Structure formats: structure tokens, C-alpha cells
Amino acid sequence: MKKVILVVEDSPTIRKFVAFAMLSHGYSVIPASDGMEALEKLPNEKIDLIITDLNMPNIDGLELVRTIRNSSEFKDIPIIILTSLSGQNEVEAGLHAGANSYLIKPFDPKRVVYEVAKYLN
Amino acid sequence: MGSKNIVQVFNKLDDLKLVFNYGQKIIPIIQNLIDFMRETVPLLENINNSISESTSKIPKASHKINDVTHATELATTEILDMVDNISGEISKLEKTYDGKFNEMKSIFTAEELEGAKESIKKIKDYSNNITLSLQVQDITAQQLAAVNHLIESVQKKLGELINDIEDADLDKIDRMNLELDEKITFDPNASYIKKDDHQKVADMIMDSNNLSSQEEVDKLFCK
């Protein structure tokens, strides 16, 4: 059975890039355009891993990570942050929020696939 | 009235005379000031009109920027779809190649077969590089959103200035609102420069004991 990845990203092009990379490596993808949509979809699907941006409307990436880590049901899902924010403080904020990996844009699709495989395979 | 009082009256008259003398000296200065103001008022009106005109043009500039973002987004999506199709076809070709390898050995030389395999790998790498380069759209979209945000701030300030200068028609200023999409978020420092250093620092912070080096990634993809 294909592993399911929730891709949370407000940019349609980046969402497509990530989906493109994941689908071509045998994963199934569920897209969400912000943290709020992600939290709405989370209980309805069996999500194996989450890839999320940080800068997003409604509920941003950090808040999404914190919310998931505080939830008893979804707290163990691996989370990869994929963002253009590259400052040390921002990375540390991602770490403290509970993200497993932090990837900086522009990203090499191979690196994203590698990180996903690290948690799922 | 005593002589003391008369002296006081004369003193006061002298003071008055001094005031008149001073007045005579200051009148030309006041006249110059009035002339200067007469000349300045039209200039201020011009400035005010320019500010009004500039303010009214800002929403148009902002909409143009949004149009550019949407157009590049559409084009990028189309290119990515094409790359997706190419990758799909290459994967099919690769499967056929692997499946018919033994049959092909009797037709082609080992060198030719190796060359074909190498070409397939190169096409896959090029496709991957295209997706990497296309991320410039997302970065420029964020930069344009930052510019739009700046324009919005300038427009707001200019609107306030017009309001202060001329008791402006508030409806007119309201009509100038940019109606920017508040749902757009952006990183004003987003940059397309590919800096491995940033990723290395992020990796070290995230997990210094389990660092995913580029060598490990390359190894996984048999680079």
C-alpha cells in the first residue's frame, strides 16, 4: 500500500513540485494550501508523513507543527519543514516546534525524497 | 498731571516711535513673505495634485504585479506538467530497456547499450534540474508580494498625506484601496541563490548526530 504524504504549501507551483517528486517515487500525495486545510484533512486520511511550508495564511507552518505535536492522535507523524526561511533562529524554532527535518528552498527534489525515505522506508 | 507724568508720556511716545520705526523695517520683510507664500501655494497645489495622481496609479501598478505573478505561476505549472510527461515516458523507456536487455545484447554492442542507459539517466537528471530551476517562480512570487506590500504601505501613507493637506474626499481615498489579497504570505528575504551553507547549518541544528550529507543523498540516487 502506498504511503500517504500530506503536502502543506500555499504556492501552487511548489505544491506541484513536491507532489511531482513524491508521486514519481511511489508515494501518494494529499495537498493542502495552508495549515487550517491540513488540520481539516488530517483526521479524514491516513497520513504517514507531512511536508509543510512555514509562511502560510490562516494557520502557518510552525503553528501547524505545534498543533500536531500536541495532539495525541497525530503526534508521531514525521514532519518535514520546507521553506525559504533560512535563518538560524527560524531553524531552531522549527526544531523546538517539533519538526523532524528542515529543508531550505530552492530545494533539490532528491533531498526531499531522501528525507521522506528516511522516515517512511 | 505732574512733570513726572509728562516725562513718562514722552518716554512712551519714544517707545511707540521705535515700534513704528521697527514696523517700517519689518513691513518689506512681511511683504516678501506674502509674495513668497503667493508663489508657494501653487507649488504646494502641484505637489498635492502629484501625490493624488501617484496615489491613484499605485493600485494599477499593484494589480500589474499580481498579474505577472499569476502568469508566471500558470506558465510554470504548464512546464512542470510537460516535464512530468517527459519523465513518465522516460520511465516507460527505461522499463522497456531493462525488460528487453537480453534481446538487445544480440543486436547492439555493450558500448551502445551502456550509452543508451547513460542517456536515459542524463534525461532523468535534466528533468530533475528543470524542476529545481522552476522554483525561481515561487521565489520571485514572494519577492513581488513583498514589493506589493511595500507599495501598499506607500499608498496608505500618501492617502493619509492627502487627507491632511486638503481635507480630501475620503471616498476618493477609499476608492484607491489596493484590495490586496490578504491571504498572500511571503518571505521578503526569499532568494533563488542556491546556498548549501544554509542547508548544512539547518541540518546541524536539526540533528547533529544524524546529519544527512549530500554524499549520502547522492549515494541513494547512485550519482
Side-chain angles (χ1 to χ4, degrees):
Chain A
M1 198 175 165
K2 283 185 176 180
K3 299 278 186 184
V4 181
I5 298 167
L6 179 64
V7 177
V8 194
E9 171 65 69
D10 59 335
S11 158
T13 46
I14 296 293
R15 220 161 44 223
K16 207 167 173 66
F17 290 142
V18 178
F20 175 68
M22 294 301 110
L23 292 171
S24 62
H25 284 83
Y27 299 108
S28 182
V29 169
I30 293 171
S33 58
D34 58 47
M36 191 179 278
E37 194 183 332
L39 289 175
E40 282 166 9
K41 286 186 172 177
L42 208 49
N44 305 325
E45 313 280 351
K46 203 259 170 225
I47 306 290
D48 295 297
L49 183 141
I50 297 167
I51 298 175
T52 182
D53 187 14
L54 286 185
N55 264 328
M56 289 184 295
N58 301 320
I59 291 178
D60 66 28
L62 278 183
E63 201 180 333
L64 174 68
V65 177
R66 286 190 202 108
T67 307
I68 291 169
R69 288 295 177 246
N70 288 329
S71 120
S72 56
E73 201 179 345
F74 309 114
K75 66 180 167 55
D76 296 324
I77 298 176
I79 301 175
I80 297 170
I81 287 175
L82 185 60
T83 178
S84 59
L85 299 172
S86 57
Q88 192 172 328
N89 292 344
E90 287 142 350
V91 180
E92 282 170 354
L95 173 69
H96 293 142
N100 298 85
S101 293
Y102 194 104
L103 300 180
I104 294 165
K105 298 175 188 170
F107 59 93
D108 183 349
K110 288 177 185 172
R111 177 65 198 267
V112 182
V113 172
Y114 173 84
E115 290 297 325
V116 170
K118 199 164 83 179
Y119 299 113
L120 295 187
N121 296 352
Chain B
M1 185 183 287
S3 60
K4 194 177 175 186
N5 287 339
I6 288 170
V7 170
Q8 275 183 343
V9 168
F10 279 117
N11 283 343
K12 291 287 175 192
L13 282 171
D14 282 342
D15 287 346
L16 204 57
K17 191 181 168 188
L18 282 173
V19 168
F20 281 129
N21 286 339
Y22 186 69
Q24 272 180 329
K25 282 180 188 168
I26 210 166
I27 279 170
I29 296 171
I30 290 170
Q31 185 62 48
N32 283 342
L33 195 64
I34 289 167
D35 291 344
F36 174 75
M37 285 174 76
R38 271 201 196 113
E39 286 166 13
T40 310
V41 166
L43 189 68
L44 284 173
E45 277 175 2
N46 271 341
I47 292 170
N48 188 22
N49 289 338
S50 297
I51 291 172
S52 296
E53 205 182 321
S54 305
T55 309
S56 66
K57 280 178 182 169
I58 283 176
K60 200 177 169 185
S62 170
H63 289 144
K64 288 262 182 204
I65 288 172
N66 282 339
D67 288 348
V68 169
T69 302
H70 290 139
T72 55
E73 195 175 283
L74 196 67
T76 308
T77 305
E78 283 174 5
I79 296 168
L80 199 65
D81 282 339
M82 288 177 216
V83 174
D84 198 6
N85 291 338
I86 292 168
S87 295
E89 294 302 319
I90 287 295
S91 292
K92 278 187 209 169
L93 193 65
E94 200 173 21
K95 274 182 190 166
T96 309
Y97 178 91
D98 290 339
K100 306 262 180 186
F101 187 73
N102 285 332
E103 294 167 45
M104 286 193 291
K105 274 204 290 192
S106 59
I107 306 165
F108 301 102
T109 64
E111 223 172 49
E112 286 170 330
L113 289 173
E114 190 55 39
K117 183 92 179 165
E118 188 60 28
S119 294
I120 289 172
K121 188 184 171 299
K122 274 184 184 170
I123 295 170
K124 284 173 85 173
D125 284 347
Y126 292 151
S127 299
N128 186 65
N129 289 342
I130 291 171
T131 62
L132 186 60
S133 300
L134 284 176
Q135 288 174 60
V136 72
Q137 190 280 329
D138 174 60
I139 304 292
T140 49
Q142 291 196 56
Q143 288 167 342
L144 289 175
V147 171
N148 249 354
H149 183 73
L150 188 70
I151 285 177
E152 184 189 27
S153 306
V154 171
Q155 197 256 359
K156 204 173 168 185
K157 285 284 169 200
L158 287 176
E160 285 169 7
L161 200 60
I162 294 171
N163 198 16
D164 289 345
I165 289 174
E166 59 163 19
D167 284 338
D169 178 1
L170 290 176
D171 288 341
K172 189 178 161 191
I173 292 170
D174 281 345
R175 281 198 302 275
M176 291 177 195
N177 280 344
L178 292 178
E179 294 169 9
L180 285 178
D181 188 351
E182 288 180 1
K183 285 191 168 185
I184 292 176
T185 57
F186 59 88
D187 168 17
N189 300 316
S191 161
Y192 184 62
I193 300 164
K194 295 168 200 163
K195 282 184 180 168
D196 284 346
D197 293 354
H198 288 158
Q199 187 58 61
K200 278 179 186 163
V201 170
D203 288 340
M204 281 167 67
I205 293 169
M206 291 306 288
D207 189 355
S208 56
N209 296 322
N210 192 21
L211 185 64
S212 305
S213 68
Q214 189 58 45
E215 288 76 28
E216 283 177 273
V217 178
D218 292 342
K219 202 174 157 188
L220 184 77
F221 289 92
C222 306
K223 203 172 183 178

